[in-house]
Amino acid sequence: DAKTTQPPSMDCAEGRAANLPCNHSTISGNEYVYWYRQIHSQGPQYIIHGLKNNETNEMASLIITEDRKSSTLILPHATLRDTAVYYCIASPSSNFGNEKLTFGTGTRLTIIP
Amino acid sequence: EAQVTQNPRYLITVTGKKLTVTCSQNMNHEYMSWYRQDPGLGLRQIYYSMNVEVTDKGDVPEGYKVSRKEKRNFPLILESPSPNQTSLYFCASSSGTSYGYTFGSGTRLTVV
């Protein structure tokens, strides 16, 4: 799996868009970009994933650069409940069962009131 | 409610005393997986299962066993726990479609 690099921490004001960057410069053509988050010590929660097109769901948007070497997770209107550690993962399959998701240390996002 | 249920939530045990952490999912998912989480090391996969009777090692399988006799259950077995297995453990399941893994609430294990 390609290695991903994320800033260790970020702050964002409540109500503003939170933009979380991820670098995956060695990503291969068959690797997807996944985002999960972990609130305190709860189980991680799946947010979104993509291959090369931008994706949006009810939780967030995922913007992947054209060369696929980096991506940005966007939480459009951050709330205090979005304070969590966010993990960016590159993995070679969209089959969510049998890929070995390798979680790094993620970005600790703090939403400021 | 669709969920992954782990038991117990907290467990303190002594070195060498066999224990089992249970995991059950009610979503009819084919895929299940166990992770451990340690400070500074992130989440690491221990074992995973692609279906009944089909299991494979993850990144840190030493000292652990699993079984998948039924689709809904995926217990994690520590035959002879040691202090270095003190950790926060998560079970997860997936249908293999576009919704990713669903994780349980975690089991905090302390081996003394």
PDB file of all heavy atoms in Angstrom, chain A residues 46-75:
ATOM      1  N   TYR A  46     -16.124   5.112   8.799  1.00  0.00           N
ATOM      2  CA  TYR A  46     -15.878   5.361   7.383  1.00  0.00           C
ATOM      3  C   TYR A  46     -16.516   6.682   6.973  1.00  0.00           C
ATOM      4  O   TYR A  46     -17.639   6.987   7.380  1.00  0.00           O
ATOM      5  CB  TYR A  46     -16.462   4.219   6.547  1.00  0.00           C
ATOM      6  CG  TYR A  46     -16.593   4.502   5.064  1.00  0.00           C
ATOM      7  CD1 TYR A  46     -15.505   4.383   4.216  1.00  0.00           C
ATOM      8  CD2 TYR A  46     -17.811   4.903   4.537  1.00  0.00           C
ATOM      9  CE1 TYR A  46     -15.635   4.643   2.854  1.00  0.00           C
ATOM     10  CE2 TYR A  46     -17.952   5.159   3.186  1.00  0.00           C
ATOM     11  CZ  TYR A  46     -16.869   5.025   2.350  1.00  0.00           C
ATOM     12  OH  TYR A  46     -16.994   5.298   1.008  1.00  0.00           O
ATOM     13  N   ILE A  47     -15.768   7.486   6.176  1.00  0.00           N
ATOM     14  CA  ILE A  47     -16.319   8.744   5.705  1.00  0.00           C
ATOM     15  C   ILE A  47     -16.591   8.686   4.211  1.00  0.00           C
ATOM     16  O   ILE A  47     -17.717   8.891   3.759  1.00  0.00           O
ATOM     17  CB  ILE A  47     -15.356   9.912   6.000  1.00  0.00           C
ATOM     18  CG1 ILE A  47     -15.073  10.024   7.495  1.00  0.00           C
ATOM     19  CG2 ILE A  47     -15.931  11.219   5.457  1.00  0.00           C
ATOM     20  CD1 ILE A  47     -13.993  11.040   7.836  1.00  0.00           C
ATOM     21  N   ILE A  48     -15.567   8.409   3.424  1.00  0.00           N
ATOM     22  CA  ILE A  48     -15.698   8.510   1.975  1.00  0.00           C
ATOM     23  C   ILE A  48     -14.505   7.820   1.330  1.00  0.00           C
ATOM     24  O   ILE A  48     -13.495   7.581   1.993  1.00  0.00           O
ATOM     25  CB  ILE A  48     -15.773  10.004   1.568  1.00  0.00           C
ATOM     26  CG1 ILE A  48     -16.368  10.193   0.157  1.00  0.00           C
ATOM     27  CG2 ILE A  48     -14.423  10.681   1.703  1.00  0.00           C
ATOM     28  CD1 ILE A  48     -16.739  11.643  -0.137  1.00  0.00           C
ATOM     29  N   HIS A  49     -14.604   7.507   0.057  1.00  0.00           N
ATOM     30  CA  HIS A  49     -13.454   6.980  -0.671  1.00  0.00           C
ATOM     31  C   HIS A  49     -13.564   7.397  -2.138  1.00  0.00           C
ATOM     32  O   HIS A  49     -14.653   7.769  -2.613  1.00  0.00           O
ATOM     33  CB  HIS A  49     -13.366   5.460  -0.557  1.00  0.00           C
ATOM     34  CG  HIS A  49     -14.295   4.713  -1.471  1.00  0.00           C
ATOM     35  ND1 HIS A  49     -15.648   4.675  -1.259  1.00  0.00           N
ATOM     36  CD2 HIS A  49     -14.054   3.992  -2.593  1.00  0.00           C
ATOM     37  CE1 HIS A  49     -16.208   3.949  -2.211  1.00  0.00           C
ATOM     38  NE2 HIS A  49     -15.275   3.529  -3.039  1.00  0.00           N
ATOM     39  N   GLY A  50     -12.442   7.315  -2.862  1.00  0.00           N
ATOM     40  CA  GLY A  50     -12.443   7.645  -4.279  1.00  0.00           C
ATOM     41  C   GLY A  50     -11.223   7.096  -4.978  1.00  0.00           C
ATOM     42  O   GLY A  50     -10.224   6.765  -4.339  1.00  0.00           O
ATOM     43  N   LEU A  51     -11.300   7.043  -6.297  1.00  0.00           N
ATOM     44  CA  LEU A  51     -10.175   6.555  -7.096  1.00  0.00           C
ATOM     45  C   LEU A  51      -9.495   7.722  -7.804  1.00  0.00           C
ATOM     46  O   LEU A  51      -8.310   7.978  -7.617  1.00  0.00           O
ATOM     47  CB  LEU A  51     -10.646   5.529  -8.120  1.00  0.00           C
ATOM     48  CG  LEU A  51      -9.560   4.902  -8.981  1.00  0.00           C
ATOM     49  CD1 LEU A  51      -8.551   4.141  -8.133  1.00  0.00           C
ATOM     50  CD2 LEU A  51     -10.171   3.987 -10.043  1.00  0.00           C
ATOM     51  N   LYS A  52     -10.222   8.436  -8.648  1.00  0.00           N
ATOM     52  CA  LYS A  52      -9.630   9.606  -9.296  1.00  0.00           C
ATOM     53  C   LYS A  52     -10.605  10.752  -9.484  1.00  0.00           C
ATOM     54  O   LYS A  52     -10.194  11.893  -9.622  1.00  0.00           O
ATOM     55  CB  LYS A  52      -9.009   9.228 -10.631  1.00  0.00           C
ATOM     56  CG  LYS A  52      -9.906   8.458 -11.566  1.00  0.00           C
ATOM     57  CD  LYS A  52      -9.112   8.042 -12.795  1.00  0.00           C
ATOM     58  CE  LYS A  52      -9.936   7.130 -13.706  1.00  0.00           C
ATOM     59  NZ  LYS A  52      -9.178   6.677 -14.873  1.00  0.00           N
ATOM     60  N   ASN A  53     -11.887  10.452  -9.449  1.00  0.00           N
ATOM     61  CA  ASN A  53     -12.865  11.518  -9.543  1.00  0.00           C
ATOM     62  C   ASN A  53     -13.172  12.085  -8.168  1.00  0.00           C
ATOM     63  O   ASN A  53     -13.035  11.405  -7.160  1.00  0.00           O
ATOM     64  CB  ASN A  53     -14.159  10.998 -10.169  1.00  0.00           C
ATOM     65  CG  ASN A  53     -13.928  10.526 -11.587  1.00  0.00           C
ATOM     66  OD1 ASN A  53     -13.169  11.128 -12.331  1.00  0.00           O
ATOM     67  ND2 ASN A  53     -14.575   9.436 -11.947  1.00  0.00           N
ATOM     68  N   ASN A  54     -13.593  13.322  -8.134  1.00  0.00           N
ATOM     69  CA  ASN A  54     -14.028  13.898  -6.872  1.00  0.00           C
ATOM     70  C   ASN A  54     -15.318  13.221  -6.433  1.00  0.00           C
ATOM     71  O   ASN A  54     -16.134  12.813  -7.261  1.00  0.00           O
ATOM     72  CB  ASN A  54     -14.239  15.405  -7.032  1.00  0.00           C
ATOM     73  CG  ASN A  54     -12.955  16.131  -7.401  1.00  0.00           C
ATOM     74  OD1 ASN A  54     -11.860  15.634  -7.150  1.00  0.00           O
ATOM     75  ND2 ASN A  54     -13.091  17.296  -8.004  1.00  0.00           N
ATOM     76  N   GLU A  55     -15.471  13.074  -5.138  1.00  0.00           N
ATOM     77  CA  GLU A  55     -16.630  12.403  -4.588  1.00  0.00           C
ATOM     78  C   GLU A  55     -17.262  13.248  -3.502  1.00  0.00           C
ATOM     79  O   GLU A  55     -16.573  14.002  -2.810  1.00  0.00           O
ATOM     80  CB  GLU A  55     -16.231  11.043  -3.988  1.00  0.00           C
ATOM     81  CG  GLU A  55     -15.553  10.075  -4.937  1.00  0.00           C
ATOM     82  CD  GLU A  55     -16.497   9.472  -5.966  1.00  0.00           C
ATOM     83  OE1 GLU A  55     -17.726   9.589  -5.786  1.00  0.00           O
ATOM     84  OE2 GLU A  55     -15.994   8.896  -6.953  1.00  0.00           O
ATOM     85  N   THR A  56     -18.578  13.108  -3.365  1.00  0.00           N
ATOM     86  CA  THR A  56     -19.304  13.816  -2.307  1.00  0.00           C
ATOM     87  C   THR A  56     -20.365  12.888  -1.746  1.00  0.00           C
ATOM     88  O   THR A  56     -21.013  12.148  -2.495  1.00  0.00           O
ATOM     89  CB  THR A  56     -19.971  15.091  -2.860  1.00  0.00           C
ATOM     90  OG1 THR A  56     -18.960  16.009  -3.283  1.00  0.00           O
ATOM     91  CG2 THR A  56     -20.809  15.779  -1.776  1.00  0.00           C
ATOM     92  N   ASN A  57     -20.515  12.911  -0.435  1.00  0.00           N
ATOM     93  CA  ASN A  57     -21.645  12.234   0.202  1.00  0.00           C
ATOM     94  C   ASN A  57     -22.190  13.135   1.299  1.00  0.00           C
ATOM     95  O   ASN A  57     -21.827  14.315   1.386  1.00  0.00           O
ATOM     96  CB  ASN A  57     -21.254  10.841   0.702  1.00  0.00           C
ATOM     97  CG  ASN A  57     -20.189  10.868   1.782  1.00  0.00           C
ATOM     98  OD1 ASN A  57     -19.986  11.890   2.444  1.00  0.00           O
ATOM     99  ND2 ASN A  57     -19.520   9.753   1.968  1.00  0.00           N
ATOM    100  N   GLU A  58     -23.046  12.576   2.115  1.00  0.00           N
ATOM    101  CA  GLU A  58     -23.717  13.412   3.127  1.00  0.00           C
ATOM    102  C   GLU A  58     -22.754  13.890   4.210  1.00  0.00           C
ATOM    103  O   GLU A  58     -23.067  14.808   4.947  1.00  0.00           O
ATOM    104  CB  GLU A  58     -24.879  12.653   3.758  1.00  0.00           C
ATOM    105  CG  GLU A  58     -24.487  11.421   4.565  1.00  0.00           C
ATOM    106  CD  GLU A  58     -24.218  10.213   3.705  1.00  0.00           C
ATOM    107  OE1 GLU A  58     -24.312  10.303   2.468  1.00  0.00           O
ATOM    108  OE2 GLU A  58     -23.904   9.155   4.277  1.00  0.00           O
ATOM    109  N   MET A  59     -21.611  13.267   4.323  1.00  0.00           N
ATOM    110  CA  MET A  59     -20.662  13.644   5.371  1.00  0.00           C
ATOM    111  C   MET A  59     -19.606  14.626   4.883  1.00  0.00           C
ATOM    112  O   MET A  59     -19.194  15.532   5.617  1.00  0.00           O
ATOM    113  CB  MET A  59     -19.956  12.406   5.914  1.00  0.00           C
ATOM    114  CG  MET A  59     -20.823  11.508   6.768  1.00  0.00           C
ATOM    115  SD  MET A  59     -19.871  10.142   7.453  1.00  0.00           S
ATOM    116  CE  MET A  59     -18.805  10.994   8.594  1.00  0.00           C
ATOM    117  N   ALA A  60     -19.102  14.413   3.656  1.00  0.00           N
ATOM    118  CA  ALA A  60     -17.928  15.170   3.241  1.00  0.00           C
ATOM    119  C   ALA A  60     -17.763  15.132   1.724  1.00  0.00           C
ATOM    120  O   ALA A  60     -18.483  14.423   1.023  1.00  0.00           O
ATOM    121  CB  ALA A  60     -16.688  14.565   3.899  1.00  0.00           C
ATOM    122  N   SER A  61     -16.767  15.892   1.266  1.00  0.00           N
ATOM    123  CA  SER A  61     -16.336  15.837  -0.135  1.00  0.00           C
ATOM    124  C   SER A  61     -14.876  15.430  -0.171  1.00  0.00           C
ATOM    125  O   SER A  61     -14.110  15.753   0.743  1.00  0.00           O
ATOM    126  CB  SER A  61     -16.509  17.196  -0.816  1.00  0.00           C
ATOM    127  OG  SER A  61     -17.860  17.558  -0.895  1.00  0.00           O
ATOM    128  N   LEU A  62     -14.518  14.728  -1.223  1.00  0.00           N
ATOM    129  CA  LEU A  62     -13.142  14.297  -1.423  1.00  0.00           C
ATOM    130  C   LEU A  62     -12.673  14.839  -2.764  1.00  0.00           C
ATOM    131  O   LEU A  62     -13.277  14.554  -3.800  1.00  0.00           O
ATOM    132  CB  LEU A  62     -13.051  12.765  -1.402  1.00  0.00           C
ATOM    133  CG  LEU A  62     -11.698  12.151  -1.744  1.00  0.00           C
ATOM    134  CD1 LEU A  62     -10.625  12.601  -0.764  1.00  0.00           C
ATOM    135  CD2 LEU A  62     -11.806  10.622  -1.752  1.00  0.00           C
ATOM    136  N   ILE A  63     -11.600  15.612  -2.699  1.00  0.00           N
ATOM    137  CA  ILE A  63     -11.009  16.189  -3.910  1.00  0.00           C
ATOM    138  C   ILE A  63      -9.665  15.509  -4.135  1.00  0.00           C
ATOM    139  O   ILE A  63      -8.791  15.563  -3.264  1.00  0.00           O
ATOM    140  CB  ILE A  63     -10.800  17.706  -3.787  1.00  0.00           C
ATOM    141  CG1 ILE A  63     -12.082  18.406  -3.330  1.00  0.00           C
ATOM    142  CG2 ILE A  63     -10.281  18.284  -5.099  1.00  0.00           C
ATOM    143  CD1 ILE A  63     -13.224  18.278  -4.294  1.00  0.00           C
ATOM    144  N   ILE A  64      -9.493  14.851  -5.270  1.00  0.00           N
ATOM    145  CA  ILE A  64      -8.241  14.173  -5.609  1.00  0.00           C
ATOM    146  C   ILE A  64      -7.611  14.920  -6.766  1.00  0.00           C
ATOM    147  O   ILE A  64      -8.273  15.188  -7.779  1.00  0.00           O
ATOM    148  CB  ILE A  64      -8.512  12.698  -5.994  1.00  0.00           C
ATOM    149  CG1 ILE A  64      -9.233  11.979  -4.847  1.00  0.00           C
ATOM    150  CG2 ILE A  64      -7.211  11.979  -6.336  1.00  0.00           C
ATOM    151  CD1 ILE A  64      -9.676  10.563  -5.181  1.00  0.00           C
ATOM    152  N   THR A  65      -6.324  15.249  -6.634  1.00  0.00           N
ATOM    153  CA  THR A  65      -5.653  15.974  -7.711  1.00  0.00           C
ATOM    154  C   THR A  65      -5.567  15.111  -8.956  1.00  0.00           C
ATOM    155  O   THR A  65      -5.629  13.872  -8.898  1.00  0.00           O
ATOM    156  CB  THR A  65      -4.245  16.406  -7.283  1.00  0.00           C
ATOM    157  OG1 THR A  65      -3.498  15.235  -6.909  1.00  0.00           O
ATOM    158  CG2 THR A  65      -4.296  17.368  -6.107  1.00  0.00           C
ATOM    159  N   GLU A  66      -5.367  15.772 -10.071  1.00  0.00           N
ATOM    160  CA  GLU A  66      -5.367  15.056 -11.348  1.00  0.00           C
ATOM    161  C   GLU A  66      -4.258  14.001 -11.408  1.00  0.00           C
ATOM    162  O   GLU A  66      -4.437  12.931 -11.974  1.00  0.00           O
ATOM    163  CB  GLU A  66      -5.211  16.048 -12.499  1.00  0.00           C
ATOM    164  CG  GLU A  66      -5.538  15.458 -13.862  1.00  0.00           C
ATOM    165  CD  GLU A  66      -5.651  16.512 -14.936  1.00  0.00           C
ATOM    166  OE1 GLU A  66      -5.902  17.693 -14.609  1.00  0.00           O
ATOM    167  OE2 GLU A  66      -5.479  16.145 -16.115  1.00  0.00           O
ATOM    168  N   ASP A  67      -3.107  14.311 -10.829  1.00  0.00           N
ATOM    169  CA  ASP A  67      -2.006  13.335 -10.811  1.00  0.00           C
ATOM    170  C   ASP A  67      -2.171  12.313  -9.690  1.00  0.00           C
ATOM    171  O   ASP A  67      -1.338  11.406  -9.573  1.00  0.00           O
ATOM    172  CB  ASP A  67      -0.651  14.032 -10.722  1.00  0.00           C
ATOM    173  CG  ASP A  67      -0.469  14.814  -9.428  1.00  0.00           C
ATOM    174  OD1 ASP A  67      -1.312  14.690  -8.524  1.00  0.00           O
ATOM    175  OD2 ASP A  67       0.509  15.546  -9.315  1.00  0.00           O
ATOM    176  N   ARG A  68      -3.201  12.442  -8.879  1.00  0.00           N
ATOM    177  CA  ARG A  68      -3.538  11.529  -7.776  1.00  0.00           C
ATOM    178  C   ARG A  68      -2.485  11.474  -6.687  1.00  0.00           C
ATOM    179  O   ARG A  68      -2.505  10.575  -5.859  1.00  0.00           O
ATOM    180  CB  ARG A  68      -3.826  10.128  -8.297  1.00  0.00           C
ATOM    181  CG  ARG A  68      -4.915  10.066  -9.321  1.00  0.00           C
ATOM    182  CD  ARG A  68      -5.689   8.768  -9.368  1.00  0.00           C
ATOM    183  NE  ARG A  68      -4.897   7.589  -9.094  1.00  0.00           N
ATOM    184  CZ  ARG A  68      -5.158   6.735  -8.104  1.00  0.00           C
ATOM    185  NH1 ARG A  68      -6.188   6.936  -7.306  1.00  0.00           N
ATOM    186  NH2 ARG A  68      -4.407   5.664  -7.931  1.00  0.00           N
ATOM    187  N   LYS A  69      -1.590  12.432  -6.642  1.00  0.00           N
ATOM    188  CA  LYS A  69      -0.549  12.382  -5.621  1.00  0.00           C
ATOM    189  C   LYS A  69      -0.982  13.020  -4.313  1.00  0.00           C
ATOM    190  O   LYS A  69      -0.268  12.931  -3.308  1.00  0.00           O
ATOM    191  CB  LYS A  69       0.728  13.047  -6.142  1.00  0.00           C
ATOM    192  CG  LYS A  69       1.334  12.281  -7.315  1.00  0.00           C
ATOM    193  CD  LYS A  69       2.676  12.811  -7.724  1.00  0.00           C
ATOM    194  CE  LYS A  69       3.237  11.939  -8.851  1.00  0.00           C
ATOM    195  NZ  LYS A  69       4.631  12.239  -9.160  1.00  0.00           N
ATOM    196  N   SER A  70      -2.100  13.658  -4.312  1.00  0.00           N
ATOM    197  CA  SER A  70      -2.604  14.211  -3.066  1.00  0.00           C
ATOM    198  C   SER A  70      -4.123  14.334  -3.137  1.00  0.00           C
ATOM    199  O   SER A  70      -4.720  14.246  -4.223  1.00  0.00           O
ATOM    200  CB  SER A  70      -1.980  15.572  -2.766  1.00  0.00           C
ATOM    201  OG  SER A  70      -2.381  16.514  -3.737  1.00  0.00           O
ATOM    202  N   SER A  71      -4.721  14.508  -1.955  1.00  0.00           N
ATOM    203  CA  SER A  71      -6.169  14.674  -1.890  1.00  0.00           C
ATOM    204  C   SER A  71      -6.511  15.553  -0.702  1.00  0.00           C
ATOM    205  O   SER A  71      -5.675  15.790   0.180  1.00  0.00           O
ATOM    206  CB  SER A  71      -6.870  13.318  -1.791  1.00  0.00           C
ATOM    207  OG  SER A  71      -6.471  12.613  -0.624  1.00  0.00           O
ATOM    208  N   THR A  72      -7.740  16.036  -0.695  1.00  0.00           N
ATOM    209  CA  THR A  72      -8.233  16.870   0.395  1.00  0.00           C
ATOM    210  C   THR A  72      -9.620  16.406   0.786  1.00  0.00           C
ATOM    211  O   THR A  72     -10.494  16.237  -0.081  1.00  0.00           O
ATOM    212  CB  THR A  72      -8.299  18.353  -0.015  1.00  0.00           C
ATOM    213  OG1 THR A  72      -6.994  18.793  -0.397  1.00  0.00           O
ATOM    214  CG2 THR A  72      -8.801  19.214   1.143  1.00  0.00           C
ATOM    215  N   LEU A  73      -9.801  16.189   2.049  1.00  0.00           N
ATOM    216  CA  LEU A  73     -11.121  15.901   2.590  1.00  0.00           C
ATOM    217  C   LEU A  73     -11.719  17.213   3.061  1.00  0.00           C
ATOM    218  O   LEU A  73     -11.080  17.967   3.795  1.00  0.00           O
ATOM    219  CB  LEU A  73     -11.031  14.918   3.764  1.00  0.00           C
ATOM    220  CG  LEU A  73     -12.363  14.584   4.433  1.00  0.00           C
ATOM    221  CD1 LEU A  73     -13.167  13.630   3.552  1.00  0.00           C
ATOM    222  CD2 LEU A  73     -12.144  13.981   5.810  1.00  0.00           C
ATOM    223  N   ILE A  74     -12.940  17.486   2.654  1.00  0.00           N
ATOM    224  CA  ILE A  74     -13.590  18.730   3.029  1.00  0.00           C
ATOM    225  C   ILE A  74     -14.849  18.437   3.844  1.00  0.00           C
ATOM    226  O   ILE A  74     -15.744  17.712   3.379  1.00  0.00           O
ATOM    227  CB  ILE A  74     -13.979  19.561   1.790  1.00  0.00           C
ATOM    228  CG1 ILE A  74     -12.727  19.876   0.960  1.00  0.00           C
ATOM    229  CG2 ILE A  74     -14.688  20.850   2.194  1.00  0.00           C
ATOM    230  CD1 ILE A  74     -13.018  20.501  -0.384  1.00  0.00           C
ATOM    231  N   LEU A  75     -14.869  18.983   5.055  1.00  0.00           N
ATOM    232  CA  LEU A  75     -16.086  18.973   5.866  1.00  0.00           C
ATOM    233  C   LEU A  75     -16.693  20.356   5.711  1.00  0.00           C
ATOM    234  O   LEU A  75     -16.127  21.329   6.220  1.00  0.00           O
ATOM    235  CB  LEU A  75     -15.766  18.684   7.332  1.00  0.00           C
ATOM    236  CG  LEU A  75     -14.919  17.446   7.625  1.00  0.00           C
ATOM    237  CD1 LEU A  75     -14.626  17.344   9.114  1.00  0.00           C
ATOM    238  CD2 LEU A  75     -15.589  16.197   7.117  1.00  0.00           C
TER     239      LEU A  75
END
